[in-house]
Amino acid sequence: EINDSESHPSSSHQTLKGTSKWATSLENLLEDPEGVKRFREFLKKEFSEENVLFWLACEEFKKTQGKKQMQEKAKEIYTTFLSSKASSQVNVEGQSRLNETILETPHPLMFQKLQDQIFNLMKYDSYSRFLKSDVFLNHKKSEEQEENSPEAQTAAKRASRIYNT
C-alpha cells in the first residue's frame, strides 16, 4: 500500500479534485480556497458577492478567541453585512430586529441562523447557476486540459513504472 503526502492510502480511485469536487456540493466548494475564489468571481458578476463574504466572515468569527476580539469581529460583521447602513448588506430574515446591543455579549454561534439562511440562499440559488457558468466551465476545461497534457501523462506513466516493478 502506497501513501500519499497526507498519509491516505492511495488507490486507483483518486479522490475528487477541483471542479469535480466542487460540483458534488456547496460545502466541498467552500472548503477549497480555489473554489471560493472562483465562486466569488461568479457572485461578483451577479452582484451578490456579499453572501459568500458574509458566510466566510461567520466561519472566521466562530474561531475567534477572547471576548474583546469577538466583540470587535462581531461589530465588524454587523456594520459590514447586517446594519441598515452596511456597505455589503446581506438580505436575511429577521435582520430588522437585529441591533447593536447583541454585539456587547458575543458568542461563537451568534450569527449561525443568519449564516444558515445565506448558505441556503447560495445553495439553492447561486450555486446551481455557478455550476452552469462560464467561470466554472472554463476552469473545468482548463483542469481537464492539464490532466490530459503529455507532461501529466508521462509523470503518471513514470509513477506507475516505479510502483509496478
Side-chain angles (χ1 to χ4, degrees):
E1 181 172 270
I2 302 159
N3 289 323
D4 63 21
S5 60
E6 293 174 12
S7 73
H8 299 298
S10 75
S11 68
S12 57
H13 303 291
Q14 284 293 315
T15 51
L16 293 175
K17 284 192 212 110
T19 53
S20 302
K21 192 170 183 180
W22 304 347
T24 59
S25 73
L26 179 57
E27 291 86 344
N28 285 339
L29 171 72
L30 293 171
E31 285 171 4
D32 182 344
E34 183 66 25
V36 169
K37 181 181 163 191
R38 300 298 173 167
F39 193 46
R40 279 185 63 184
E41 191 180 314
F42 168 74
L43 291 176
K44 207 177 276 186
K45 292 178 180 175
E46 289 213 330
F47 304 100
S48 60
E49 183 186 21
E50 68 279 357
N51 291 335
V52 74
L53 294 176
F54 173 72
W55 188 88
L56 292 166
C58 291
E59 285 298 292
E60 252 332 280
F61 178 75
K62 291 177 199 173
K63 300 173 196 161
T64 306
Q65 301 291 312
K67 188 178 179 188
K68 184 103 179 97
Q69 285 87 344
M70 283 187 102
Q71 283 175 323
E72 287 169 10
K73 198 107 172 126
K75 187 171 174 50
E76 187 183 317
I77 289 172
Y78 179 81
T79 55
T80 306
F81 301 105
L82 301 169
S83 118
S84 57
K85 301 178 210 93
S87 55
S88 299
Q89 192 177 36
V90 290
N91 187 9
V92 286
E93 240 175 84
Q95 194 164 0
S96 56
R97 292 190 297 276
L98 268 182
N99 62 47
E100 292 192 44
T101 56
I102 65 160
L103 304 176
E104 291 161 20
T105 54
H107 59 87
L109 301 177
M110 67 188 279
F111 297 117
Q112 190 63 52
K113 274 186 180 158
L114 303 176
Q115 185 186 17
D116 290 345
Q117 281 182 41
I118 291 298
F119 180 84
N120 285 327
L121 178 72
M122 292 189 299
K123 183 175 183 171
Y124 297 109
D125 186 36
S126 35
Y127 174 64
S128 54
R129 284 196 309 279
F130 170 70
L131 295 178
K132 298 173 191 144
S133 73
D134 288 345
V135 172
F136 177 79
L137 296 172
N138 291 339
H139 190 72
K140 184 177 179 174
K141 192 190 286 180
S142 69
E143 259 185 8
E144 289 164 355
Q145 287 170 343
E146 279 176 32
E147 285 172 17
N148 296 327
S149 72
E151 296 83 36
Q153 290 176 348
T154 316
K157 283 179 187 167
R158 272 199 309 270
S160 73
R161 275 200 305 271
I162 294 167
Y163 297 117
N164 292 329
T165 54

